[in-house]
Amino acid sequence: MKVLITGCNGQVGHCLVKQLEGKAEVLAVDKAQLDITDQAAVYAIVADFEPQYIINAAAHTAVDKAEEEVELSFAINSDGPKYLAEVAENCGAVMLHISTDYVFNGMGNEPYQEIDPVGPQGVYGKSKLAGELAVIDACEKHLILRTAWVFGEHGNNFVKTMLRLAQTRDELSIVGDQIGGPTYAGDIAAALIKMLESIEAGAKPAWGVYHYSGMPYASWYEFAQTIFDKALSKGVIEHSPCLHSIPTSAYPTPAKRPSNSRLNCNKIAIQFNVTPSDWVYALNNIEAYK
């Protein structure tokens, strides 16, 4: 199995490299080795390596900055995936691409299914949707994995931010009316690898879009509560800040945040036997997040 991984220094990319060690011949690249917005460079590296699978874990994920960095967001989140998908099609490779719940409008209370209408509210979501459509259009053998609220031991994320703030703050106000499924990066990597191994074993999957995120659903406030409870029990922090639940309106940001980030993960469970990420269990290893 020959696998090209882009964005190898991101949260999911880092886990993919670790988990594929000994299982596949991997070419792991970050922006320094491959700028996915450079079409010629993408074509050259794929022609040289000849991967059977391309996993695109590279993305412009700075949601607020995206409102100003529109061209950069679309270059990384749309043009890059397009070039990777085109070259995957040319060489007969399978294209696996990571996307986001931000392709939806973030309203309602029901978990989003893959067939639900999209309606991104900001530049980040619009650029990621454009990337999805580009991959679908360019490569027949594609698997797009939408996920949400990613965290892990590597890189910057909500868990690390909370642990850092606990060192200096006695009180914290956390948004309580945005609901989603926190998703452990290691579980996303494992889900992608399971999809890949299923194809290697001869399965003929339904190409298209799949949802994968954590359970149970929680608010950012509830997520923070669990983080501090775990950290306190493990001795990672000496005291837990007093938490206050606030509405989104009390914490304005340049980009609109979805109130509903719930993803329905039934399709991936049926097709690939992949179960939702157990984010509470993943926090048992909270010592590694410091």
Side-chain angles (χ1 to χ4, degrees):
M1 220 173 24
K2 296 182 72 175
V3 184
L4 170 64
I5 300 171
T6 62
C8 69
N9 285 328
Q11 292 192 86
V12 178
H14 180 79
C15 294
L16 280 166
V17 174
K18 286 179 65 177
Q19 292 183 26
L20 279 171
E21 188 175 347
K23 293 183 177 181
E25 182 182 347
V26 174
L27 176 59
V29 295
D30 62 9
K31 187 179 179 181
Q33 290 94 41
L34 175 65
D35 179 355
I36 64 170
T37 69
D38 183 337
Q39 186 176 25
V42 170
Y43 275 55
I45 202 165
V46 171
D48 181 60
F49 184 59
E50 297 182 336
Q52 296 163 281
Y53 301 90
I54 297 173
I55 306 179
N56 180 38
H60 185 278
T61 58
V63 176
D64 289 326
K65 282 187 178 180
E67 295 300 308
E68 298 177 359
E69 300 175 341
V70 179
E71 288 187 13
L72 180 62
S73 296
F74 274 87
I76 298 172
N77 293 339
S78 179
D79 295 344
K82 175 187 175 182
Y83 301 148
L84 289 164
E86 286 174 347
V87 76
E89 179 71 14
N90 291 343
C91 71
V94 175
M95 173 79 178
L96 295 91
H97 174 66
I98 302 172
S99 192
T100 173
D101 68 284
Y102 274 72
V103 300
F104 297 109
N105 64 19
M107 301 176 189
N109 297 306
E110 291 299 314
Y112 285 107
Q113 298 185 58
E114 290 83 351
I115 59 173
D116 285 337
V118 291
Q121 298 295 294
V123 172
Y124 170 65
K126 289 174 182 176
S127 66
K128 291 296 288 184
L129 177 58
E132 287 188 10
L133 297 174
V135 169
I136 292 168
D137 184 60
C139 182
E140 179 188 1
K141 296 189 292 185
H142 65 270
L143 295 169
I144 295 169
L145 194 70
R146 292 177 182 152
T147 189
W149 294 22
V150 182
F151 71 94
E153 300 92 340
H154 180 81
N156 297 317
N157 53 67
F158 185 76
V159 177
K160 290 190 174 185
T161 298
M162 290 299 103
L163 293 178
R164 186 176 67 251
L165 290 174
Q167 304 301 319
T168 58
R169 303 279 289 275
D170 293 323
E171 296 187 38
L172 288 173
S173 295
I174 308 293
V175 172
D177 59 358
Q178 296 172 20
I179 312 297
T183 315
Y184 177 52
D187 290 340
I188 299 172
L192 288 164
I193 292 169
K194 195 164 185 179
M195 296 168 90
L196 197 153
E197 290 176 336
S198 174
I199 299 167
E200 273 294 289
K204 295 182 179 179
W207 306 115
V209 179
Y210 291 83
H211 288 174
Y212 183 75
S213 66
M215 289 291 285
Y217 302 124
S219 66
W220 289 111
Y221 171 80
E222 292 166 333
F223 189 16
Q225 277 189 317
T226 306
I227 291 166
F228 291 132
D229 287 346
K230 292 280 187 180
L232 203 58
S233 69
K234 298 277 186 174
V236 173
I237 57 175
E238 294 180 1
H239 68 91
S240 177
C242 178
L243 296 184
H244 304 282
S245 179
I246 60 170
T248 299
S249 58
Y251 189 72
T253 55
K256 183 180 178 182
R257 297 304 199 270
S259 61
N260 180 20
S261 289
R262 302 171 183 88
L263 294 176
N264 182 310
C265 302
N266 290 340
K267 182 181 175 183
I268 195 171
I270 294 168
Q271 179 70 48
F272 293 101
N273 194 31
V274 170
T275 55
S277 173
D278 186 343
W279 62 270
V280 177
Y281 177 80
L283 288 176
N284 287 337
N285 186 36
I286 202 160
E287 298 98 327
Y289 292 78
K290 290 196 73 177

